[in-house]
Amino acid sequence: MDWSHYRFLSLWALPAPPAAVYDALERAEDYPRWWPQVREVTRTDDTSGVITIRSVLPYAMTFSVREVLRDRAAGVLEIAMSGDIDGWARWTVTPRGGGSLARYEQVVDVNKPLLRRLAVPGRPVFRANHWLMMRAGRRGLTAYLAGGHQAV
């Protein structure tokens, strides 16, 4: 087993229509406005950029992202990542009751040297750190959408 390989799945039930959720999620440059752990998003062109994240643990991760798929009709946004982490992440937004379900899938290999050295003993802590980041993201997006921050 490669202890630096991770698969994550998060499901966010959100009280906003799928179009509003999709619109918010496709504007990655706005993530720092509602997701505290997304520290910086810098677009380099229309389909790529650089993201820096930091959750509870005292380290930041920076990686380049490139759009792989943007399908509004299917509610799918997918990126490829390289840098401190390599892999992919995908949002899939679907209707759920009077709101939406945002499904976040991520498969990555951690490249940051310190995290690779601590891969075995740190794995439960790293997974908890990711869980806390995702919980904060769901809460932040819920508040952001409730404040009327939708596509213009």
Side-chain angles (χ1 to χ4, degrees):
M1 175 177 184
D2 180 355
W3 292 96
S4 294
H5 181 78
Y6 291 86
R7 297 181 71 89
F8 297 107
L9 172 64
S10 297
L11 302 173
W12 295 2
L14 299 163
V21 173
Y22 185 92
D23 289 345
L25 292 174
E26 81 173 339
R27 290 191 311 271
E29 62 275 9
D30 288 347
Y31 282 26
R33 295 175 64 192
W34 54 266
W35 200 337
Q37 293 80 10
V38 179
R39 301 302 173 96
E40 186 176 2
V41 176
T42 304
R43 279 203 175 269
T44 54
D45 61 33
D46 289 345
T47 60
S48 59
V50 177
I51 297 177
T52 299
I53 60 172
R54 180 175 173 194
S55 191
V56 176
L57 297 176
Y59 63 84
M61 297 182 81
T62 301
F63 48 94
S64 296
V65 297
R66 180 183 46 81
E67 181 181 298
V68 173
L69 177 63
R70 182 187 300 225
D71 184 339
R72 177 176 293 284
V76 177
L77 295 163
E78 185 174 327
I79 59 170
M81 299 175 283
S82 61
D84 286 343
I85 54 177
D86 286 340
W88 60 269
R90 178 187 310 123
W91 286 107
T92 305
V93 181
T94 55
R96 178 176 175 166
S100 303
L101 179 66
R103 177 185 178 99
Y104 180 79
E105 300 169 83
Q106 184 182 49
V107 176
V108 294
D109 291 304
V110 176
N111 294 323
K112 195 167 181 99
L114 175 63
L115 301 183
R116 288 190 69 80
R117 281 193 297 276
L118 298 173
V120 174
R123 190 171 180 87
V125 176
F126 299 156
R127 292 188 71 78
N129 192 58
H130 186 272
W131 182 86
L132 290 168
M133 180 176 171
M134 296 306 292
R135 182 180 69 172
R138 180 186 50 78
R139 289 177 175 171
L141 183 55
T142 298
Y144 183 76
L145 293 167
H149 299 279
Q150 298 174 10
V152 285

